[in-house]
Amino acid sequence: MANKFELSGSDFQEDKYDRLRLIPWWDQERLANAKVMVVGAGAIGNELIKDLALLGVGRILVVDMDRIETSNLTRSVLFRQKDVGRYKAEIAAERAMEMNPDVKTKALTINIIDDVGLGVFRRMNVVLGGLDNREARLAINQSCYKVNIPWIDGAIEALNGFARVFTPPDGACYECTMTDMDWKLINKRKSCALLTHEQMYEGKIPTTPTSSAIIAGVQVQEMLKILHSDRGLPTLSGKCYVFNGLTHDSYIVTYQRKPDCMSHDTYESIEERPWSARTMTLLGLVNNIKKEMGEAAVVDFDRDIGTFASCSCGETKELFTPIHKLSQQAITCPKCKKSMMFDSIHSLDGTESFLHKTVAEIGIPPLHIVSGRIGAKSTHFEFTADSDKLF
Ligand SMILES: [Zn+2]
Ligand SMILES: [Zn+2]
């Protein structure tokens, strides 16, 4: 009877994924080729990134703009005492590559709400959320639906949590699940307008490394099923897995798509162009889009951009920042300290006074997608030249 000792030396090169490959539907090569974005590198994000690294997910993009605090250390398997003060995304990305050199990670220490181009989302197989606020979830949801990429949300509180999967274009989306209370809370924040980043994120909830491990585990398992979508596995698409760690109850909630939901604006086609948001001027953009679509075409952005602020005292100032990012300080008059009024735009027709600015200078991120519109017809163009910096 043959035994292991008769095998040649190379047969002893163990495949570290061999226990995973025992799962009948498992295809490790798909994981190796997968690109997954993790938004939020907190309690859930740490667990997500750890699981993705262990599983050999080839490309992991970590998006988080916060720094590590001492209180994070009790719920974050990837962080050490000496990391306090450093960016969560950078440390998490570093540690994931240490855990498994097969994976390549990249950290983006930017705000998910305005700073991640739609072309980044579009290049992912799945987006995983480890977030603690509705604004960020809504932003991810809108981006994922525009470019038709599934995303998996997770949330925890004390011993409880839930995980849910949103699959564009048809299934119920995050916005479909929002209650009147959710909207009230978002609008309240918007109407006390222009909160600082610190104020936006001040809501603290109790979280544990145990509930984050459970919920992140469910999220990653759902991701595995999405990556093997041809295997006919049951998924949580349009559903929520609710886990109550206190009473050991768990159950599934099925969401209904709301007919009037605004988030199902999936782009039918996206034209890749060798343009860079970093270097192209607004004039260049307007001209290019007119060349593509005709002289009457205008450029539409997916956000409102504050342009000029003016004060009753006569002082004026340039903003050129998406409205969402305007701080109270940005619209405070430098002379008399009163709040200034400001104008905003979300499209260009070529008559503007600031067309010498670059696309990036008005707050459009690299690899983003903008729309050309003529009458009711829109075509979507990507700043594809920015894709070289992604991984
Ligand atoms: Zn919806
Ligand atoms: Zn003033």
Side-chain angles (χ1 to χ4, degrees), residues 304-324:
D304 288 306
I305 295 156
T307 53
F308 298 98
S310 57
C311 182
S312 52
C313 79
E315 182 74 4
T316 59
K317 132 180 192 187
E318 282 197 5
L319 299 172
F320 292 99
T321 308
I323 286 183
H324 168 263

Side-chain angles (χ1 to χ4, degrees), residues 141 171-176 257-258 261-264:
N141 187 65
C173 78
Y174 171 67
E175 189 177 332
C176 294
R257 177 172 168 177
K258 281 188 187 152
C261 177
M262 302 295 284
S263 281
H264 298 260

Side-chain angles (χ1 to χ4, degrees), residues 264-285:
H264 298 260
D265 171 27
T266 302
Y267 294 166
E268 264 182 36
S269 68
I270 294 160
E271 305 291 329
E272 298 187 345
R273 291 293 178 268
W275 307 342
S276 169
R278 294 184 173 93
T279 54
M280 182 173 279
T281 62
L282 298 176
L283 182 63
L285 176 62

Side-chain angles (χ1 to χ4, degrees), residues 336-353:
C336 71
K337 307 295 174 207
K338 273 196 279 194
S339 225
M340 303 171 89
M341 303 289 288
F342 62 89
D343 294 327
S344 69
I345 54 142
H346 66 263
S347 49
L348 299 172
D349 62 13
T351 61
E352 291 78 8
S353 64

Side-chain angles (χ1 to χ4, degrees), residues 20-127:
L20 302 171
R21 292 187 208 270
L22 290 175
I23 297 172
W25 47 266
W26 196 273
D27 179 358
Q28 188 63 39
E29 308 320 310
R30 289 194 200 188
L31 299 193
N33 292 324
K35 293 183 181 137
V36 177
M37 176 170 11
V38 177
V39 187
I44 295 178
N46 263 256
E47 290 291 325
L48 294 170
I49 295 160
K50 174 210 75 182
D51 286 346
L52 298 180
L54 291 174
L55 292 169
V57 169
R59 298 280 186 279
I60 307 169
L61 182 64
V62 184
V63 183
D64 192 305
M65 63 189 296
D66 291 331
R67 291 174 190 271
I68 298 170
E69 297 171 32
T70 304
S71 67
N72 301 136
L73 298 175
T74 55
R75 287 153 301 117
S76 309
V77 68
L78 303 173
F79 302 158
R80 310 283 174 265
Q81 181 69 47
K82 64 175 193 232
D83 303 326
V84 169
R86 294 192 54 197
Y87 283 113
K88 290 179 181 177
E90 286 177 0
I91 296 292
E94 256 175 59
R95 298 277 146 76
M97 285 195 285
E98 272 171 38
M99 286 177 74
N100 187 351
D102 294 346
V103 309
K104 200 169 174 201
T105 62
K106 186 178 170 83
L108 294 179
T109 53
I110 56 179
N111 190 337
I112 190 66
I113 297 180
D114 279 310
D115 298 342
V116 180
L118 283 174
V120 179
F121 282 88
R122 187 176 158 241
R123 280 166 179 73
M124 300 295 135
N125 297 97
V126 185
V127 176

